[in-house]
Amino acid sequence: MADQSNPDIIYTIVDEAPELASASFLPIIRSFADAAGIKVGTKDISLAGRIIATFPEKLTEEQRQSDDLAELGELVKTPGANVIKLPNISASVPQLVAAIEELKAQGYDLPDYPAEPKTDEEKAVRARYDGIKGSAVNPVLREGNSDRRAAKAVKNYAQKNPHSMGKWSSDSKTHVSSMPGDDFYANEASATLSADQAGAAKIEFVAKDGSISILKDGWMLTDGEVVDATFLSAKALDAFLANEIEKTKNDGIMFSLHMKATMMKVSDPIIFGHAVKAWMGPIFEKYGEAFASAGISPNSGMGDVLARIASLPNAAEIQAEIDALAADRPAIYMVDSDKGITNLHVPSDVIIDASMPALIRAGGKGWDAKGEKGDVNCVIPDNCYASIYDEAISFFKANGALDPSTAGTVQNVGLMAQKAEEYGSHPTTFEAPADGTIRIVLANGDVLHSHDVEAGDIWRSSTAKKAPIENWIQLALDRQRLTGFEAIFWLDANRAHDAELINYVKPALEAAGVADKFQIMAPREATRASLETITAGKDSIAITGNVLRDYLTDLFPILELGTSAKMLSIVKLMNGGGLFETGAGGSAPKHVQQLIEQNHLRWDSMGEFCALGESLNFLADSKGNSKAAVLGAAAEAATQGILDNNRSPSRKVGEPDNRDSHYWFARYWADALAAQSDDSELAAHFAPIAKALAEKESDILKELAEAQGGAGDIGGYYHPSVEKKAAVMRPSATLNAIFS
């Protein structure tokens, strides 16, 4: 249950490895903050927490909890908001179903997720669950635009201690494949609304017989809002996938699909399902009706399909045909070779912004079913952003891998406020029910966009509001002025949406008298220019939309730093508050698995350390809190101490892990507070704590080390026991006593 008081700082309760780390780190934060009269509260935005909050009528009074996401969504619109947001699960359907099953096993009387709802009650339950899956959190909390960059201390450390990089060869067969046309990019239309067009719009489907059905009504659009609409042809997608499977086989390399089925929770699971169906083509052609009757959907992934087939009466016959087909298919990129988990098994296992940078960092290599490295056909069906990965691969083939010891950095200023662009498109994405037309009809009767579609085509609309766009441009102006770095707006004049944004950007740059300090480039050209810049040891600012913000703040940090978890991510909320994000959580599931098996958590809390310092500094500035300023400066010193003394977690059991890093952070933090002269009260308070942490070092480290090696019982994956989680993550009685 989340703390419902009125704190100075909100620390979010999330999922997986970041939440396990919080069980160790948050008590330390609170102890330090209490000494300065600073209250640190929590809000539960975890997947399990959101499920519980959605069905209060099904639960006992003790089980119920408030809708913390909704409350936090209102808080971030206030000037006093100060939120440290850790990465949460953007759930795919398999993850959502698994979380529901775990909660039910714990005694929560929740309804099942209706995969194929038939009754009105099932449809209502499905609608409530669909509000939880995918990117349900970020669009609510991101009431500001993004400023993401590597903290100076982190970047300096990465240059002095460069991570390993795979070798690139000019004859590598690894490449990116995208649809030749009829995708979201090719079919996009965009317009900026005038005042007389604003108001309640609707999205209609017009059937071939002229009948009209409403897909969405009461859709409020505003003056100056950029409104896009596009669709991806299902037939063109199927033809493309079948062709790529055959081409991959002929090339003798691995097939892989790279999507974002978590954030793009309507469109991408459908595309993923098309890929699964294409891979198993003859099987679905022969048994399609039987599969449909058994509730087998390719959208949930090949793992779910195979599991459900195993329960059919003729399972052995079908499996034999699947095995024969697999022998005729090209090798497939593996998520886990040892466990036989392929790239097509689970939609949320391969998330493009994590999977593609990892492959590029590895020299374009993936792993096959035997655990052997090889070249890969990276299939990214839609062309909107595939070019950045295609260009990066081409660049490294020609120039070799990036050298982290000399590379410059790419910072990011991202347009994401108020559900900007595709990540806000979930309520306005539809699979065409039949051949016909999907159109947007504005409040004044204008038909803004209209597309002729065929059954199964994926149509979507997304928007970017005027105020966030203007705020984004100003944030870019401020960032360039503060750094003097090369600054590039990653906008494609040949793409409809980007052309509308350029109509905002150019006049703003000219009005500010800084047009000569900025470039506007399509993503492909901007990728090459940025790689050339950082290869030369210089720095660049990528000014991008929402999806590119997400992709680039994994791509460049993984190449520069070896991870995106150490990024400094500041969201300057448009009404004056601050949201401090702590990095990416893409590798969190594997971290949890290792903790459960070996009681070793390799999650690196560097993102949390950086966000904490920024949050305290923001509190000092916004509230005139001098003690917060002292705590913030000392937290920054502690972060530097972690880096300078190499106190980050090791990947191997038996070596220092996440819990050790928290001890060292606390020690360096207390040392800095005891040594400072700006606040004598804080210095006096922390002097004995610093002394105790130093004197008890051997005892604390011994107790932390002894905890490792066996199983780590946390009482659940999605909804762990608070008590068991604390016992695992706070195993040093000596350290706990210092902060009791």
Side-chain angles (χ1 to χ4, degrees):
M1 184 69 69
D3 180 354
Q4 299 301 314
S5 60
N6 186 28
D8 299 293
I9 296 171
I10 293 287
Y11 205 88
T12 53
I13 296 172
V14 289
D15 313 275
E16 299 179 322
E19 181 54 28
L20 293 175
S22 293
S24 167
F25 189 41
L26 186 54
I28 293 171
I29 294 174
R30 281 178 157 158
S31 178
F32 278 74
D34 283 347
I38 296 169
K39 203 173 196 179
V40 180
T42 58
K43 291 289 184 184
D44 188 349
I45 60 171
S46 68
L47 175 58
R50 286 180 277 136
I51 292 171
I52 292 168
T54 300
F55 294 95
E57 76 280 7
K58 298 283 187 180
L59 307 177
T60 67
E61 187 63 33
E62 293 74 21
Q63 291 174 329
R64 291 173 189 164
Q65 62 185 63
S66 58
D67 187 347
D68 282 9
L69 177 59
E71 293 178 10
L72 209 49
E74 292 304 311
L75 177 65
V76 294
K77 297 175 183 176
T78 66
N82 189 332
V83 181
I84 297 176
K85 186 211 172 276
L86 282 69
N88 61 279
I89 290 176
S90 294
S92 64
V93 171
Q95 287 175 304
L96 180 61
V97 169
I100 295 166
E101 290 176 351
E102 180 176 303
L103 286 166
K104 290 179 70 174
Q106 293 176 354
Y108 289 80
D109 185 22
L110 295 163
D112 291 329
Y113 178 80
E116 299 290 339
K118 294 180 175 62
T119 67
D120 288 343
E121 182 180 358
E122 288 178 341
K123 290 175 183 177
V125 169
R126 169 70 178 263
R128 291 166 79 178
Y129 274 132
D130 283 351
I132 299 169
K133 74 182 185 185
S135 181
V137 170
N138 290 338
V140 174
L141 300 187
R142 287 172 171 168
E143 280 289 320
N145 291 310
S146 170
D147 177 1
R148 279 191 178 182
R149 56 190 187 272
K152 188 175 181 180
V154 173
K155 180 63 179 176
N156 290 342
Y157 178 82
Q159 289 180 321
K160 293 176 183 176
N161 303 271
H163 54 274
S164 62
M165 297 286 280
K167 292 183 179 180
W168 275 94
S169 170
S170 59
D171 60 359
S172 169
K173 292 184 179 181
T174 292
H175 64 280
V176 170
S177 297
S178 298
M179 293 172 66
D182 228 358
D183 60 351
F184 290 129
Y185 178 90
N187 293 323
E188 187 173 72
S190 184
T192 301
L193 297 192
S194 61
D196 68 330
Q197 293 175 313
K202 55 188 175 182
I203 301 173
E204 298 178 338
F205 173 71
V206 184
K208 287 292 186 181
D209 63 4
S211 60
I212 298 174
S213 54
I214 305 299
L215 300 179
K216 187 171 183 63
D217 205 358
W219 182 29
M220 295 304 299
L221 300 174
T222 57
D223 179 21
E225 191 161 1
V226 175
V227 182
D228 310 328
T230 187
F231 76 97
L232 183 145
S233 164
K235 285 182 180 177
L237 173 63
D238 289 342
F240 162 73
L241 290 167
N243 187 53
E244 288 306 318
I245 290 171
E246 191 62 30
K247 282 173 59 180
T248 306
K249 179 182 176 181
N250 293 337
D251 287 343
I253 60 177
M254 280 180 274
F255 178 91
S256 64
L257 179 74
H258 300 268
M259 304 291 301
K260 187 88 169 184
T262 49
M263 295 290 274
M264 300 303 298
K265 63 183 180 181
V266 178
S267 61
D268 282 23
I270 297 173
I271 297 172
F272 190 91
H274 276 267
V276 171
K277 203 168 181 179
W279 188 265
M280 301 178 69
I283 308 299
F284 270 90
E285 288 174 13
K286 184 174 181 179
Y287 298 101
E289 290 186 11
F291 287 177
S293 299
I296 295 174
S297 169
N299 293 12
S300 294
M302 196 156 65
D304 185 71
V305 170
L306 295 174
R308 291 178 182 271
I309 286 173
S311 65
L312 297 178
N314 56 340
E317 170 193 334
I318 299 174
Q319 187 60 54
E321 293 183 41
I322 292 172
D323 293 341
L325 176 65
D328 190 50
R329 291 299 196 204
I332 192 166
Y333 175 102
M334 302 297 291
V335 171
D336 191 324
S337 301
D338 293 337
K339 296 184 177 180
I341 300 175
T342 75
N343 175 267
L344 295 177
H345 258 60
V346 183
S348 53
D349 269 358
V350 181
I351 300 175
I352 184 171
D353 44 324
S355 62
M356 283 302 301
L359 184 143
I360 292 170
R361 179 189 165 185
K365 301 295 184 182
W367 283 260
D368 65 14
K370 297 178 181 178
E372 297 177 354
K373 291 183 180 180
D375 293 340
V376 185
N377 181 6
C378 305
V379 175
I380 306 172
D382 179 52
N383 282 277
C384 285
Y385 306 107
S387 61
I388 67 167
Y389 300 115
D390 184 54
E391 190 61 32
I393 287 171
S394 296
F395 182 88
F396 293 124
K397 282 183 185 180
N399 298 282
L402 187 73
D403 182 353
S405 68
T406 60
T409 191
V410 178
Q411 301 183 349
N412 182 268
V413 174
L415 171 61
M416 66 178 191
Q418 299 180 1
K419 305 178 183 180
E421 303 191 311
E422 295 97 328
Y423 281 173
S425 70
H426 315 313
T428 52
T429 299
F430 306 96
E431 191 171 21
D435 294 358
T437 301
I438 298 180
R439 65 190 186 186
I440 296 174
V441 182
L442 299 176
N444 67 355
D446 288 352
V447 174
L448 184 68
H449 301 308
S450 178
H451 290 98
D452 292 334
V453 296
E454 296 180 323
D457 289 352
I458 307 165
W459 185 96
R460 76 178 184 208
S461 180
S462 55
T463 69
K465 298 182 187 299
K466 181 179 181 179
I469 295 170
E470 293 176 337
N471 176 269
W472 168 64
I473 296 169
Q474 186 58 52
L475 188 58
L477 296 180
D478 294 343
R479 195 83 205 118
Q480 196 283 329
R481 175 177 50 80
L482 290 170
T483 63
F485 293 171
E486 167 190 87
I488 303 173
F489 280 91
W490 291 47
L491 297 172
D492 181 356
N494 294 317
R495 182 183 174 189
H497 168 77
D498 287 8
E500 294 298 315
L501 288 187
I502 290 172
N503 290 336
Y504 271 103
V505 170
K506 283 187 173 179
L509 296 180
E510 291 168 1
V514 294
D516 60 321
K517 296 181 179 179
F518 291 82
Q519 300 178 72
I520 299 174
M521 294 184 179
R524 180 181 295 279
E525 288 70 31
T527 300
R528 178 161 290 271
S530 301
L531 288 171
E532 289 172 347
T533 296
I534 63 173
T535 298
K538 299 178 182 179
D539 306 311
S540 184
I541 304 169
I543 309 155
T544 73
N546 204 349
V547 176
L548 271 179
R549 168 202 59 81
D550 207 6
Y551 289 7
L552 299 189
T553 55
D554 274 305
L555 175 60
F556 287 112
I558 286 172
L559 297 178
E560 294 176 30
L561 312 176
T563 176
S564 57
K566 297 181 181 181
M567 289 289 282
L568 180 61
S569 183
I570 301 170
V571 180
K572 296 185 177 180
L573 299 171
M574 291 174 62
N575 290 327
L579 177 70
F580 306 95
E581 298 184 318
T582 67
S587 58
K590 292 183 179 179
H591 293 190
V592 180
Q593 180 183 349
Q594 185 178 21
L595 177 88
I596 291 171
E597 294 174 355
Q598 301 177 330
N599 205 342
H600 178 93
L601 185 66
R602 66 179 188 260
W603 176 260
D604 192 336
S605 291
M606 183 55 63
E608 289 97 294
F609 300 157
C610 291
L612 174 63
E614 290 292 331
S615 173
L616 289 166
N617 292 337
F618 177 76
L619 179 63
D621 291 340
S622 61
K623 300 291 179 68
N625 188 324
S626 60
K627 289 186 182 298
V630 174
L631 250 65
E636 291 176 349
T639 302
Q640 189 68 59
I642 293 288
L643 293 166
D644 289 346
N645 296 286
N646 195 23
R647 300 300 187 186
S648 294
S650 166
R651 298 175 65 86
K652 296 180 180 179
V653 66
E655 297 178 357
D657 77 347
N658 177 265
R659 295 163 287 195
D660 295 81
S661 72
H662 294 161
Y663 158 70
W664 287 109
F665 185 88
R667 180 167 167 182
Y668 297 141
W669 199 6
D671 286 345
L673 287 165
Q676 55 81 32
S677 57
D678 292 326
D679 189 307
S680 58
E681 184 180 4
L682 287 176
H685 176 86
F686 283 101
I689 293 174
K691 182 180 180 183
L693 288 169
E695 290 179 346
K696 299 293 185 179
E697 174 186 329
S698 60
D699 292 339
I700 293 169
L701 295 181
K702 182 173 181 289
E703 289 167 356
L704 293 175
E706 288 174 345
Q708 292 195 44
D713 180 11
I714 55 175
Y717 184 92
Y718 295 97
H719 192 239
S721 158
V722 173
E723 295 77 16
K724 289 184 176 181
K725 183 172 59 175
V728 168
M729 292 306 301
R730 302 189 71 201
S732 171
T734 305
L735 179 61
N736 297 344
I738 294 173
F739 294 113
S740 61

